[in-house]
Short mmCIF file of all heavy atoms in Angstrom, two decimals:
data_model
loop_
_atom_site.label_atom_id
_atom_site.label_comp_id
_atom_site.label_asym_id
_atom_site.label_seq_id
_atom_site.Cartn_x
_atom_site.Cartn_y
_atom_site.Cartn_z
N GLY A 31 -11.99 16.92 24.56
CA GLY A 31 -12.13 17.93 25.58
C GLY A 31 -11.88 17.30 26.91
O GLY A 31 -12.10 17.98 27.99
N CYS A 43 -1.31 -8.02 18.01
CA CYS A 43 -0.11 -8.17 17.18
C CYS A 43 -0.03 -6.95 16.18
O CYS A 43 -0.79 -6.30 15.91
CB CYS A 43 -0.19 -9.41 16.31
SG CYS A 43 1.16 -9.79 15.34
N PHE A 61 -10.87 2.02 23.23
CA PHE A 61 -10.11 1.13 24.05
C PHE A 61 -8.54 1.73 24.04
O PHE A 61 -8.21 2.46 23.04
CB PHE A 61 -10.11 -0.32 23.42
CG PHE A 61 -9.42 -0.54 22.11
CD1 PHE A 61 -8.19 -0.69 21.87
CD2 PHE A 61 -10.41 -0.47 20.97
CE1 PHE A 61 -7.66 -0.78 20.62
CE2 PHE A 61 -9.92 -0.68 19.75
CZ PHE A 61 -8.60 -0.83 19.48
N HIS A 130 14.82 -12.36 18.83
CA HIS A 130 14.93 -13.62 19.48
C HIS A 130 14.66 -13.54 21.03
O HIS A 130 13.97 -14.39 21.62
CB HIS A 130 16.29 -14.43 19.31
CG HIS A 130 17.47 -13.63 19.68
ND1 HIS A 130 17.77 -12.42 18.98
CD2 HIS A 130 18.45 -13.81 20.49
CE1 HIS A 130 18.88 -12.07 19.43
NE2 HIS A 130 19.34 -12.77 20.44
N ASP A 152 1.44 -30.16 10.75
CA ASP A 152 2.15 -28.86 11.08
C ASP A 152 1.01 -27.75 11.39
O ASP A 152 1.13 -26.93 12.16
CB ASP A 152 2.94 -28.43 9.88
CG ASP A 152 4.25 -29.22 9.93
OD1 ASP A 152 4.52 -29.88 10.96
OD2 ASP A 152 4.98 -29.15 8.89
N ILE A 188 -9.30 -10.60 32.54
CA ILE A 188 -8.35 -10.86 31.35
C ILE A 188 -8.91 -11.80 30.38
O ILE A 188 -9.69 -12.83 30.76
CB ILE A 188 -7.08 -11.54 31.92
CG1 ILE A 188 -6.44 -10.54 32.90
CG2 ILE A 188 -6.15 -11.95 30.89
CD1 ILE A 188 -5.24 -11.08 33.62
N LEU A 200 -13.89 -15.04 15.35
CA LEU A 200 -13.13 -14.62 16.53
C LEU A 200 -13.39 -15.70 17.65
O LEU A 200 -14.63 -15.95 17.87
CB LEU A 200 -13.68 -13.25 17.01
CG LEU A 200 -12.93 -12.70 18.17
CD1 LEU A 200 -11.56 -12.39 17.94
CD2 LEU A 200 -13.59 -11.34 18.67
N GLU A 202 -12.73 -17.08 21.68
CA GLU A 202 -12.31 -16.59 22.99
C GLU A 202 -11.95 -17.76 23.94
O GLU A 202 -12.59 -18.78 23.91
CB GLU A 202 -13.45 -15.82 23.64
CG GLU A 202 -13.09 -15.26 25.05
CD GLU A 202 -14.18 -14.26 25.62
OE1 GLU A 202 -15.32 -14.29 25.06
OE2 GLU A 202 -13.81 -13.50 26.51
N ASN A 204 -12.05 -20.06 26.85
CA ASN A 204 -13.07 -20.26 27.85
C ASN A 204 -12.33 -21.11 28.95
O ASN A 204 -11.86 -22.23 28.71
CB ASN A 204 -14.21 -21.06 27.25
CG ASN A 204 -15.37 -21.35 28.34
OD1 ASN A 204 -15.11 -21.33 29.49
ND2 ASN A 204 -16.54 -21.55 27.75
#
Side-chain angles (χ1 to χ4, degrees):
C43 183
F61 67 82
H130 58 297
D152 285 351
I188 296 173
L200 183 64
E202 179 172 19
N204 185 338

